[in-house]
C-alpha cells in the first residue's frame, strides 16, 4: 500500500499542475479616485493653454517681443506640468514622488514666468523688474534644493515620502498670488480680471494644501482645486486675448493717423 509520504507527494504534484493551468492575469493600472474630474479639468486646461500657445506663437513670429517669448516659455512649463499630473494619475509613470515634485516645481516656475509675461504685455522689463524675476526664480530653486537634499541617515523610502510632501514649496506657491497682486495689480490695464485670476490661483493652491495635508475627509478639496485651476486659465486667456486686441487696434490706428496731430493720414483716405 502507498505510504503517507507518497500521498503527500501526489498532493504536491497535483497542486503544482493545477496552479500551472490558471489563466494569465492582465496587468492592472491604479487610478486616482478623482480621475473623472482630473481628466475633465486637464482637458479644458490643455485646450485653453493650447489656444494661448498658438496665439503667442503667431504673435512672436510676427513681432519678436520679449513678452511673447516669455509667455511661450511659461505655457510650455504649464503643458509639461499638466502632462506629468495626468500621467501620474493614470499610473503610466513610475517614481511618483520624484515626478510629482518635478511637476510642482514646474508649476512654481510657470506661475512666476506667466505673471511677468502678463506685466510685460503692458510695460517693458526694467532693471528692478528683472531683479524681482530672477530673485523669485532663485528662491524657488533654493527651496527645491532644500527639499531634494537627503538628511543624514535617511533611507530612500523616507526621502521619497519627504518629496511627496513639500510644505515649504507649497507655502511658497501660496504666497506668490498675493505678492503679484501687490506688485502688478495696480499697473495692469485689466485689474479686475487679473485680480480674479490671482484669487482663483490662490484658492486653488489653498485647496491643494487642504487636500494633501488634511487627510481623507478633505478629498473633495482636490476636485475644487481642479475647477479653480480651469477658472484661472480661462480668466488668463480672456486677459491675454483682450490685451492682444488692444495692441492690434493701437497699431492699426497709429498706421492711419498722424502721430503729431492725431488726424487721419493719406493711407486712411486711400483705403476708403
Amino acid at each position: 500500500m502507498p505510504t503517507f509520504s507518497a500521498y503527500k507527494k501526489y498532493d504536491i504534484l497535483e497542486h503544482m499542475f493545477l496552479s500551472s493551468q490558471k489563466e494569465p492575469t492582465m496587468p492592472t493600472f491604479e487610478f486616482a479616485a478623482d480621475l473623472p474630474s482630473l481628466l475633465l479639468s486637464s482637458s479644458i486646461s490643455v485646450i485653453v493653454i493650447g489656444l494661448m500657445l498658438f496665439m503667442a506663437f503667431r504673435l512672436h513670429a510676427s513681432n519678436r517681443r520679449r513678452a511673447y517669448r516669455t509667455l511661450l516659455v511659461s505655457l510650455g512649463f504649464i503643458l509639461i506640468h499638466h502632462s506629468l499630473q495626468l500621467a501620474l494619475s493614470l499610473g503610466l509613470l513610475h517614481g511618483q514622488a520624484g515626478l510629482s515634485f518635478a511637476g510642482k516645481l514646474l508649476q512654481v516656475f510657470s506661475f512666476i514666468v506667466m505673471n511677468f509675461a502678463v506685466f510685460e504685455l503692458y510695460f517693458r522689463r526694467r532693471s528692478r523688474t528683472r531683479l524681482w524675476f530672477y530673485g523669485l526664480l532663485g528662491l524657488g530653486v533654493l527651496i527645491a534644493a532644500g527639499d531634494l537634499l537627503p538628511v543624514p541617515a535617511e533611507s530612500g523610502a523616507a526621502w521619497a515620502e519627504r518629496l511627496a510632501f513639500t510644505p515649504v514649496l507649497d507655502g511658497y506657491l501660496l504666497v506668490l498670488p498675493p505678492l503679484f497682486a501687490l506688485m502688478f495689480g495696480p499697473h495692469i490695464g485689466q485689474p479686475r480680471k487679473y485680480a480674479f485670476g490671482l484669487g482663483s490661483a490662490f484658492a486653488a493652491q489653498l485647496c491643494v494644501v487642504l487636500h494633501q495635508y488634511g487627510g481623507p475627509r478633505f478629498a473633495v478639496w482636490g476636485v475644487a482645486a481642479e475647477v479653480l485651476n480651469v477658472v484661472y486659465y480661462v480668466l488668463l486667456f480672456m486677459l491675454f486675448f483682450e490685451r492682444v486686441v488692444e495692441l492690434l487696434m493701437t497699431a492699426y490706428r497709429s498706421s492711419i493717423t498722424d502721430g503729431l496731430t492725431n488726424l487721419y493720414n493719406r493711407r486712411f483716405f486711400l483705403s476708403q
Side-chain angles (χ1 to χ4, degrees):
M1 293 182 65
T3 61
F4 175 75
S5 61
Y7 281 120
K8 189 174 182 181
K9 286 182 179 180
Y10 295 150
D11 291 338
I12 294 173
L13 290 173
E14 183 180 6
H15 176 71
M16 292 174 62
F17 175 77
L18 292 176
S19 62
S20 65
Q21 298 299 315
K22 290 183 179 179
E23 295 182 358
T25 58
M26 296 295 292
T28 59
F29 296 99
E30 295 183 0
F31 297 107
D34 54 348
L35 182 60
S37 62
L38 180 62
L39 283 173
L40 180 61
S41 63
S42 296
S43 301
I44 298 174
S45 300
V46 167
I47 291 173
V48 175
I49 294 166
L51 289 173
M52 288 195 292
L53 193 62
F54 175 75
M55 291 172 59
F57 178 76
R58 292 297 301 270
L59 289 169
H60 183 262
S62 59
N63 186 2
R64 303 280 179 172
R65 285 188 60 183
R66 179 180 293 177
Y68 302 145
R69 185 170 63 250
T70 308
L71 192 63
L72 282 171
V73 172
S74 64
L75 291 172
F77 283 162
I78 293 174
L79 279 177
I80 296 173
H81 163 68
H82 279 284
S83 301
L84 280 176
Q85 187 182 24
L86 194 58
L88 289 172
S89 300
L90 290 172
L92 301 177
L93 295 175
H94 301 287
Q96 291 191 359
L99 291 175
S100 177
F101 177 80
K104 191 177 297 184
L105 189 60
L106 281 174
Q107 186 181 4
V108 172
F109 286 167
S110 64
F111 190 77
I112 294 173
V113 177
M114 175 66 72
N115 281 275
F116 276 92
V118 171
F119 177 77
E120 289 177 3
L121 288 174
Y122 293 89
F123 305 97
R124 292 186 179 275
R125 187 184 296 183
R126 294 168 292 184
S127 58
R128 186 177 61 180
T129 311
R130 191 177 296 109
L131 183 63
W132 272 102
F133 177 72
Y134 290 113
L136 291 174
L137 288 178
L139 184 58
V141 170
L142 289 177
I143 293 173
D147 289 327
L148 279 174
L149 291 176
V151 179
E154 184 181 29
S155 63
W159 180 72
E161 184 179 358
R162 186 161 58 86
L163 283 185
F165 297 94
T166 54
V168 181
L169 196 59
D170 288 325
Y172 183 58
L173 194 54
L174 198 62
V175 169
L176 286 176
L179 178 64
F180 284 123
L182 293 174
M183 287 175 57
F184 298 152
H187 309 288
I188 298 297
Q190 305 173 54
R192 289 187 179 179
K193 285 188 179 66
Y194 187 66
F196 283 140
L198 290 177
S200 301
F202 176 80
Q205 181 59 22
L206 185 61
C207 290
V208 168
V209 171
L210 291 174
H211 172 62
Q212 192 168 6
Y213 300 99
R217 59 196 180 97
F218 288 95
V220 69
W221 293 105
V223 180
E226 297 299 330
V227 174
L228 288 168
N229 276 327
V230 172
V231 173
Y232 168 65
Y233 292 135
V234 170
L235 289 171
L236 195 63
F237 172 76
M238 293 171 61
L239 189 149
F240 176 55
F241 181 77
E242 291 183 13
R243 179 55 182 164
V244 169
V245 171
E246 288 178 6
L247 291 174
L248 293 176
M249 290 298 295
T250 302
Y252 172 72
R253 184 168 180 80
S254 63
S255 66
I256 62 173
T257 57
D258 181 71
L260 183 62
T261 62
N262 205 24
L263 297 175
Y264 290 115
N265 58 16
R266 183 170 176 268
R267 180 180 296 179
F268 171 76
F269 292 106
L270 288 177
S271 64
Q272 297 302 309

